């Protein structure tokens, strides 16, 4: 059986946007459809180590959780995702300081302009408050001509881990809170998706992630030739090193299992 793959931003208007960068681990632009078929736009925060390797965003744990949320909206492939930042941010405070830096916002807004103009979008989902800030910045930039799209700003998929700092009780409380927040977004957005990829009744989350609540990263979302384990939720890539400079320059990849 032939394997599907994503050729990347090879056609305009995305090709010119992608030609503009090269630094350290390099920018990571997107995941999902660039062929004008996206119904849902997702704005994430910033790429992590696994995304540095796959060259597509939201492929790790956050991506699997999000993919499950999209599946509950009956969106299996008609989406496109971009991050607030093209590069990994070091620490949350660095993200806070830079989300609205004019040069960063201006470039991100060119991607958002291209996506909004070239796709029959029906909904936008922002993961976390920096993504919400990015969308609001774009709306201001787009002005009165911006289309009225259903919009949900949801808790970032790995906020429970980052807020609980290895405390299991806090983690389970934060997960429960996040899933309640996601259920609200599902109830708001599900009726607004007029052209889903499939017809399924809306199945809300319980108090914790249950079997089937996360979904696999589709093969057609990654560049050609990447092995299947790079689409698995296992933490197969990590920044390693004794100092932050070493961590900045080192990603250790280990095949899971
Ligand atoms: N990976 C991404 O690309 N974005 C996020 O927001 C989280 C993980």
């Amino acid at each position: 059986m032939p394997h599907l793959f994503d050729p990347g931003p090879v056609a305009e208007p995305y090709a010119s946007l992608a030609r503009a960068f090269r630094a350290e681990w390099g920018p990571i632009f997107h995941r999902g459809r660039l062929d004008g078929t996206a119904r849902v736009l997702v704005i994430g925060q910033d790429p992590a180590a696994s995304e540095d390797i796959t060259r597509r965003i939201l492929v790790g744990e956050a991506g699997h959780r999000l993919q499950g949320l999209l599946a509950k909206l009956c969106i299996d492939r008609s989406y496109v995702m971009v991050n607030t930042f093209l590069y990994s941010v070091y620490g949350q405070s660095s993200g806070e300081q830079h989300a609205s830096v004019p040069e960063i916002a201006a470039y991100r807004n060119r991607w958002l302009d291209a996506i909004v103009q070239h796709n029959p979008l029906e909904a936008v989902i922002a993961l976390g408050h920096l993504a919400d800030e990015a969308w609001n910045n774009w709306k201001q930039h787009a002005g009165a001509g911006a289309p009225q799209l259903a919009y949900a700003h949801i808790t970032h998929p790995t906020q429970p881990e980052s807020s609980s700092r290895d405390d299991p009780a806090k983690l389970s409380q934060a997960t429960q809170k996040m899933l309640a927040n996601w259920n609200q977004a599902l109830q708001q957005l599900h009726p607004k998706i007029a052209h889903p990829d499939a017809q399924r009744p809306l199945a809300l989350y319980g108090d914790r992630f249950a079997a089937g609540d996360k979904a696999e990263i589709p093969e057609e979302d990654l560049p050609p030739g990447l092995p299947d384990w790079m689409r698995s939720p296992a933490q197969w890539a990590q920044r390693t090193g004794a100092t932050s400079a070493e961590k900045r320059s080192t990603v250790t990849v280990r095949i899971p299992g």
Side-chain angles (χ1 to χ4, degrees), residues 51 66 85 97 114 144 173 184 218:
E51 284 94 16
L66 168 70
F85 298 107
Q97 282 165 35
Q173 236 175 22
Q184 277 181 4

Side-chain angles (χ1 to χ4, degrees), residues 133-150:
E133 199 174 312
W135 180 244
N136 287 327
N137 185 301
W138 177 81
K139 279 209 313 198
Q140 245 185 349
H141 146 91
Q148 295 298 312
L149 296 166

Side-chain angles (χ1 to χ4, degrees), residues 44-48 51 57-58 62 83 127 156:
Q45 186 172 300
D46 67 307
E51 284 94 16
I57 69 166
L58 285 157
N83 274 331
L127 310 182
H156 190 277

Side-chain angles (χ1 to χ4, degrees), residues 37-48:
T37 62
R39 297 283 178 188
V40 176
L41 161 65
V42 178
I43 307 176
Q45 186 172 300
D46 67 307

Side-chain angles (χ1 to χ4, degrees), residues 14 17 41-43 82-83 105-118 121 124 131 134-139 141:
Y14 309 104
L17 284 163
L41 161 65
V42 178
I43 307 176
V82 291
N83 274 331
Y107 178 77
R108 185 177 59 229
N109 286 341
R110 288 174 58 201
W111 268 87
L112 294 174
D113 284 343
I115 288 169
V116 172
Q117 278 164 28
H118 295 272
L121 293 178
V124 179
W135 180 244
N136 287 327
N137 185 301
W138 177 81
K139 279 209 313 198
H141 146 91

Side-chain angles (χ1 to χ4, degrees), residues 6-255:
D6 171 28
V10 290
E12 295 298 349
Y14 309 104
S16 301
L17 284 163
R19 272 187 210 114
F21 283 93
R22 186 169 292 261
E24 217 173 53
W25 289 96
I28 306 158
F29 298 111
H30 86 296
R31 175 158 77 82
R33 312 286 77 76
L34 294 181
D35 60 359
T37 62
R39 297 283 178 188
V40 176
L41 161 65
V42 178
I43 307 176
Q45 186 172 300
D46 67 307
S50 49
E51 284 94 16
D52 281 332
I53 307 297
T54 61
R55 315 311 300 169
R56 296 293 181 272
I57 69 166
L58 285 157
V59 299
E61 180 63 23
H64 284 76
R65 291 178 184 180
L66 168 70
Q67 202 71 35
L69 180 98
L70 291 172
K72 286 179 187 284
L73 289 173
C74 302
I75 291 291
D76 298 324
R77 68 175 308 279
S78 302
Y79 51 77
V80 62
M81 307 171 186
V82 291
N83 274 331
T84 304
F85 298 107
L86 291 175
Y87 302 93
S88 298
V89 241
Y90 185 64
Q92 188 68 20
S93 66
S94 166
E96 305 291 341
Q97 282 165 35
H98 291 100
S100 291
V101 165
E103 292 79 4
I104 294 177
Y107 178 77
R108 185 177 59 229
N109 286 341
R110 288 174 58 201
W111 268 87
L112 294 174
D113 284 343
I115 288 169
V116 172
Q117 278 164 28
H118 295 272
N119 291 276
L121 293 178
E122 295 175 342
V124 179
I125 302 175
L127 310 182
H129 78 276
L130 294 177
D132 180 49
E133 199 174 312
W135 180 244
N136 287 327
N137 185 301
W138 177 81
K139 279 209 313 198
Q140 245 185 349
H141 146 91
Q148 295 298 312
L149 296 166
Y151 176 68
H153 160 205
I154 65 172
T155 306
H156 190 277
T158 51
Q159 186 273 348
E161 281 74 6
S162 36
S163 66
S164 59
R165 302 194 179 273
D166 296 330
D167 177 329
K170 280 192 188 153
L171 177 63
S172 103
Q173 236 175 22
T175 304
Q176 186 174 346
K177 199 164 159 204
M178 177 180 80
L179 294 179
N181 169 270
W182 285 18
N183 279 341
Q184 277 181 4
L186 284 174
Q187 283 163 310
Q188 178 206 336
L189 295 182
H190 195 269
K192 304 284 185 205
I193 309 286
H195 298 87
D197 294 323
Q199 295 290 345
R200 290 186 288 266
L202 176 57
L204 295 177
Y205 295 98
D207 288 348
R208 67 189 77 168
F209 282 103
D213 280 345
K214 301 180 201 176
E216 198 174 78
I217 307 303
E219 186 176 49
E220 71 172 317
D221 281 14
L222 296 194
L226 292 198
D228 285 349
W229 55 262
M230 286 198 180
R231 299 188 288 117
S232 92
Q235 206 185 21
W236 51 264
Q238 267 176 307
R239 285 189 181 264
T240 48
T243 61
S244 45
E246 242 179 85
K247 280 193 181 151
R248 187 171 168 160
S249 60
T250 316
V251 172
T252 301
V253 173
R254 204 177 300 276
I255 298 176

